[in-house]
Amino acid sequence: MPEHIYVFRDIAMVFAVAFACGLLAWRLRQPILLGYVLAGLVLSPLTPGPRVHDTHNFETMAEIGVILLMFSVGIEFSVPELLKVKWVALIGAPLGILLCVGLGIGVGALLGWPLVQGVAVGCIISVASTMVLLRILMDRGEVGTEHGRLMVTMSLVEDLAVVILTVVLPSFSPNGEATLGHAAWQVGKALLLLVPIALAAWKLFPPLLARVEKTCNDEISLLLALTVCMGIAALTEEVGLSLALGAFLGGLFLGKSHFTHKLALQTQPLRDVFVAFFFVSVGMLLDPSTWKESWALIVLLAGLVLAGKFLVWAGVVRLFRYPFSTAFRVGVGLTQIGEFSFILAQVSSKAELISNQLYHSILAASFITILVNATLFRFVKPIPAPSGDSAAPVKVAG
């Protein structure tokens, strides 16, 4: 059978199973994203039954979902709003990451792990899933709230930390050739290259969009928005930073106007489809055959994320004198791990910092933490963004 036929067959299967599992989750009053993860588990090559021919295709589609979602969030933010939480983001987020690394080292010491394995696990659990966090916040209409701004901004700092950690972690490998100096140079070079790009985009895009708006052609304006989104994301990846950060900056650079909010609504259906592909691809990574022999390790990792990270992030926010209610919500929101933790786990596995059993346990723990995190939010009363807030939330279907 020709290769392209497999692609369309796989896409049809993913749509069908995602629909069925998403409907099941909705009928059970659970977040639809959990249904999508279940669909990925059903179609995974690691489970019996129907399976997709090539999971790599859906990993690429998942990255598009990340880009479009972060672009939408960037549109809903403004620079003044980000500056309101600059200190807790610039100081508190790195402090929280260091405390999470300390948790990994402490638990590793109690279990007799090598020091580098404890460091790797601490780094892996320190990074929350930006996709899960944003999807829940947008469903609840809380992106523009105080705790919503804190969570999104801190998660962006975590994304930056991933860039650093992917270079730093291999330096701890017995066979690694990377050095901390090399890591610092790579990150510094990337940030220096990003500054002129950001300044040019900040000046160029708003007047360009205003001119396109006068054409009154929605198709042209949508294509321009997608060009900005994908172009900035590609540039940030090229200089060594994450696609998610670039997409967020692309939305941020568009400025604030009725036109940009209309663009957010135009891209919403396309975004939701690719976001579904993202969560399906997460399910495809899970290997249930390893769960029986690793259940104790999985429970330990899940507990470390759910309890340990809650205490760390709630404590960090309280340290900056935010109300307890805000600290509590931020703590709940950041108690999961996802896509960037997978990247760090892969890097650590290749560098022989963690075992194959621990790698698969981390993937299973991520699924548990996403499930529990989404469930916990059901018991926390939503606080919508204040009326008139410039970051009025965009409703996400489902």
Side-chain angles (χ1 to χ4, degrees), residues 42-368:
V42 170
L43 295 174
S44 171
L46 303 174
T47 58
R51 60 186 62 186
V52 297
H53 177 68
D54 186 359
T55 59
H56 178 71
N57 293 328
F58 297 97
E59 291 171 1
T60 302
M61 294 178 188
E63 289 185 346
I64 297 175
V66 173
I67 292 170
L68 292 174
L69 187 60
M70 293 301 293
F71 178 70
S72 297
V73 174
I75 287 177
E76 297 308 313
F77 268 74
S78 68
V79 172
E81 287 162 2
L82 290 177
L83 291 177
K84 290 178 183 178
V85 296
K86 61 180 181 297
W87 295 119
V88 70
L90 296 176
I91 299 175
L95 175 61
I97 292 170
L98 289 174
L99 290 173
C100 288
V101 174
L103 280 177
I105 294 173
V107 171
L110 292 175
L111 297 177
W113 290 351
L115 176 61
V116 291
Q117 181 165 295
V119 171
V121 169
C123 293
I124 291 165
I125 68 167
S126 69
V127 186
S129 171
T130 306
M131 285 290 286
V132 173
L133 174 65
L134 291 178
R135 180 69 194 240
I136 292 174
L137 285 176
M138 296 179 83
D139 278 345
R140 291 165 58 90
E142 294 182 302
V143 173
T145 61
E146 182 178 62
H147 59 274
R149 285 193 294 266
L150 281 169
M151 283 189 271
V152 172
T153 309
M154 293 170 84
S155 71
L156 288 171
V157 176
E158 291 178 350
D159 293 350
L160 282 172
V162 170
V163 177
I164 300 171
L165 293 173
T166 53
V167 182
V168 171
L169 283 176
S171 67
F172 293 106
S173 170
N175 304 318
E177 298 179 358
T179 64
L180 296 180
H182 174 70
W185 165 246
Q186 290 293 101
V187 174
K189 181 177 67 174
L191 292 175
L192 285 174
L193 290 172
L194 182 62
V195 169
I197 295 172
L199 290 175
W202 186 265
K203 296 293 184 182
L204 177 65
F205 291 147
L208 179 61
L209 285 170
R211 177 166 295 186
V212 171
E213 185 178 6
K214 294 178 182 178
T215 67
C216 300
N217 189 306
D218 288 346
E219 290 183 27
I220 296 297
S221 62
L222 178 60
L223 286 174
L224 177 60
L226 292 175
T227 300
V228 171
C229 171
M230 296 294 178
I232 297 294
L235 282 173
T236 54
E237 185 187 39
E238 187 69 23
V239 301
L241 299 174
S242 70
L243 286 167
L245 176 65
F248 176 81
L249 292 175
L252 197 65
F253 294 154
L254 294 183
K256 291 294 169 188
S257 71
H258 169 74
F259 178 57
T260 53
H261 288 291
K262 184 177 75 173
L263 287 178
L265 293 174
Q266 285 179 302
T267 57
Q268 179 179 319
L270 183 65
R271 178 195 67 206
D272 288 345
V273 169
F274 283 103
V275 166
F277 280 128
F278 169 82
F279 288 106
V280 170
S281 70
V282 170
M284 290 179 183
L285 293 173
L286 302 175
D287 185 1
S289 66
T290 65
W291 295 356
K292 184 177 180 180
E293 63 183 33
S294 304
W295 68 268
L297 186 55
I298 294 170
V299 170
L300 172 67
L301 292 169
L304 196 59
V305 172
L306 294 169
K309 287 188 67 177
F310 172 81
L311 293 174
V312 165
W313 291 114
V316 166
V317 174
R318 281 293 289 161
L319 184 65
F320 285 82
R321 299 184 179 181
Y322 283 89
F324 175 79
S325 60
T326 299
F328 177 81
R329 290 168 184 274
V330 172
V332 170
L334 297 177
T335 52
Q336 27 76 8
I337 56 175
E339 63 275 16
F340 292 112
S341 295
F342 300 160
I343 294 172
L344 292 178
Q346 289 173 348
V347 168
S348 300
S349 180
K350 290 178 181 177
E352 300 179 359
L353 301 178
I354 62 174
S355 64
N356 191 54
Q357 181 190 25
L358 185 53
Y359 171 75
H360 285 288
S361 297
I362 289 168
L363 297 183
S366 73
F367 173 67
I368 294 172

